[in-house]
Amino acid sequence: MASLCLIRAPFSATSVLRSARCSSSVSGVANPIPASFLRGGTSKGIFLNRAHLPPVQSQWDTVFLGIMGSPDAQYGRQLNGMGGGASSLSKICVVGSPSEAQKAAGIDVEYTFAQVGIRDSVIDYSGNCGNLSSMVGVFAVDEDMCTPQVTQGPRMTGTVRTFNTNTNKRIDNTFFVTQTGGRCVPVLDGERASIAGVPGRASPILLDFVAPSGARTGHLLPTGCPQETVTISLSDNSREEEKEDVTLPVSLVDATNPTVFTSERGLRAALGRTPNDAVPIDYAELSVVEALERVRQAGARLMGLDPLAQAQPKVAVLGPVPPDDDGDGDADIVVNAFSMGVLHRAVPMTVGLCLGVAACVPRTLAWEAVGGRRDPGTGTGTRSELLRIRHPSGVVEVGAELGRSGEVKSARVMRTGRRLMKGSVWW
């Protein structure tokens, strides 16, 4: 009888939407809430104004999970939300006004990055996203949260000085702007630059990570050594039992985000394969994924980080550029990086920047892989030689500048971005 009553009841779109809005509430937060959907680099994410969220960050999780359609334990596709079933598509940036102390230091806006779990309900705030960082300044200007510092030239540019709360680091965004109606408007469709992993061309956005060392641990080399040795146990999947312990070298570097670097040669040896084997490593193979996760966890312990927090640290495998490489231009090094337990189709930008810094630090695996030929600059403002990194989608260039005493003054990379949608999002 109840179903007959539902059939006879008149349909009202207004009443349905009203019910949706009232179905969820977190400290009076509206549902839906204003949002922008933006691409930054090789990631896409939802950008929110902090003023539209609860003042207590612990109450954000319910909103974020609803926006992204998580958890999706059965399918892992996030079809019930804005997520896309991949770590690079399950991200949120919350942008707000800086504190008085930050204003005094010249900061224009601050932001918090959230990596939203796909199959689970974990919201990870432990690290930053280098790709989405490129659109924080654009979003802030679009929302009239700040006015960029304008530089005149052949093309007028604007710089927004942002502060990332995850890592407590300053990141400057510089992008083309134009004057429209008495205000600066970011220009993203200049068709001047392209990045690996994204089709087409757009306006360049320069990211400058100021003093990026020690984003999580407080030290560029958390253990004080450019290389360490980790011991891991590998399982024999055919017999479901543990093999003997194996050891392999790693470099633990914390710049922009902490990363555990290991070498392709070391990984092959750990897997019981000939180090000089020409057969490419299958990074989707279960034994490889399992081995790298154990390497990541071992590195996390040495860095003093939670080994069970998959978002941080990242793990990346470094290898030489094949002699017969016919990719898009010369590269200095090859990297395969994992994010949330899955091979990233394009190197996470914070990993790429961390690698650019590591290649300037003597005796790290990265430094050895490029033959110790990186020029870290003079410490007087001269930029270093760019490091060209080949990843599964192509090549990216990153740069680092070190001072005379070895401190990292800056890490830089060029990204592009695009506005995809602006409106309201239901959670």
Side-chain angles (χ1 to χ4, degrees):
M1 293 299 292
S3 60
L4 291 177
C5 291
L6 287 174
I7 292 173
R8 288 200 304 269
F11 176 82
S12 168
T14 302
S15 63
V16 170
L17 290 177
R18 184 180 298 116
S19 297
R21 291 189 184 98
C22 297
S23 62
S24 300
S25 63
V26 177
S27 298
V29 176
N31 193 4
I33 57 177
S36 291
F37 189 39
L38 308 174
R39 175 184 69 80
T42 53
S43 293
K44 293 190 292 186
I46 297 291
F47 283 68
L48 304 171
N49 188 323
R50 191 180 61 208
H52 298 146
L53 292 172
V56 180
Q57 184 172 311
S58 61
Q59 295 184 342
W60 294 1
D61 290 13
T62 299
V63 179
F64 293 175
L65 291 170
I67 287 174
M68 284 297 165
S70 297
D72 185 359
Q74 183 174 1
Y75 302 107
R77 298 177 66 189
Q78 296 174 302
L79 287 177
N80 208 31
M82 295 293 292
S87 63
S88 59
L89 309 178
S90 189
K91 301 181 175 186
I92 291 176
C93 282
V94 179
V95 186
S97 300
S99 66
E100 291 302 319
Q102 289 168 351
K103 287 181 183 178
I107 299 299
D108 297 309
V109 291
E110 72 164 30
Y111 72 101
T112 300
F113 168 69
Q115 180 74 59
V116 182
I118 298 171
R119 294 182 179 272
D120 56 36
S121 300
V122 176
I123 310 292
D124 195 298
Y125 299 98
S126 63
N128 187 21
C129 173
N131 280 297
L132 288 193
S133 293
S134 63
M135 288 297 281
V136 172
V138 171
F139 174 79
V141 174
D142 282 349
E143 297 297 310
D144 292 323
M145 300 174 73
C146 70
T147 300
Q149 179 180 339
V150 174
T151 301
Q152 300 291 341
R155 285 295 304 268
M156 185 165 54
T157 62
T159 298
V160 175
R161 292 160 295 190
T162 76
F163 184 84
N164 176 246
T165 64
N166 307 78
T167 58
N168 291 321
K169 295 294 183 179
R170 173 182 149 188
I171 304 152
D172 292 349
N173 295 186
T174 300
F175 42 85
F176 291 150
V177 295
T178 186
Q179 292 284 350
T180 302
R183 63 183 295 268
C184 281
V185 177
V187 178
L188 302 180
D189 57 355
E191 297 189 355
R192 290 193 172 199
S194 62
I195 60 174
V198 179
R201 301 176 70 83
S203 301
I205 302 174
L206 181 64
L207 285 180
D208 191 346
F209 289 71
V210 180
S213 296
R216 284 293 311 286
T217 66
H219 303 281
L220 176 62
L221 301 176
T223 66
C225 298
Q227 286 191 39
E228 298 283 357
T229 299
V230 297
T231 301
I232 62 172
S233 297
L234 300 180
S235 62
D236 185 337
N237 293 319
S238 64
R239 298 195 302 270
E240 296 185 353
E241 61 185 33
E242 296 291 311
K243 291 182 178 179
E244 291 185 9
D245 290 348
V246 296
T247 61
L248 65 167
V250 295
S251 286
L252 309 174
V253 185
D254 184 3
T256 67
N257 265 341
T259 304
V260 179
F261 293 108
T262 190
S263 67
E264 182 180 299
R265 181 182 179 88
L267 178 61
R268 288 183 187 277
L271 293 170
R273 304 174 187 178
T274 304
N276 295 322
D277 190 346
V279 178
I281 294 176
D282 180 1
Y283 288 99
E285 185 181 321
L286 180 60
S287 62
V288 175
V289 175
E290 179 184 79
L292 287 175
E293 174 58 18
R294 297 194 180 194
V295 169
R296 190 194 70 81
Q297 291 187 12
R301 293 187 186 95
L302 289 174
M303 299 171 96
L305 301 175
D306 180 1
L308 299 182
Q310 281 202 327
Q312 302 294 329
K314 297 287 194 287
V315 63
V317 183
L318 307 179
V321 179
D324 58 348
D325 179 42
D326 58 355
D328 51 346
D330 294 333
D332 299 305
I333 194 169
V334 174
V335 64
N336 286 277
F338 277 66
S339 178
M340 306 294 285
V342 178
L343 178 68
H344 212 285
R345 296 175 184 175
V347 62
M349 209 58 261
T350 51
V351 174
L353 287 160
C354 189
L355 176 53
V357 171
C360 295
V361 179
R363 296 184 300 281
T364 64
L365 290 174
W367 184 83
E368 290 182 349
V370 298
R373 62 180 183 274
R374 292 296 98 188
D375 173 15
T378 64
T380 59
T382 302
R383 292 290 166 193
S384 70
E385 178 185 356
L386 291 176
L387 179 72
R388 292 179 57 83
I389 303 170
R390 177 167 296 285
H391 55 87
S393 294
V395 174
V396 63
E397 293 184 344
V398 298
E401 182 186 0
L402 274 64
R404 287 194 177 93
S405 60
E407 78 278 9
V408 184
K409 300 175 67 176
S410 174
R412 281 189 162 194
V413 69
M414 186 275 292
R415 299 279 82 191
T416 66
R418 183 170 181 247
R419 302 177 184 91
L420 302 176
M421 185 176 288
K422 178 180 173 66
S424 299
V425 64
W426 272 265
W427 52 272

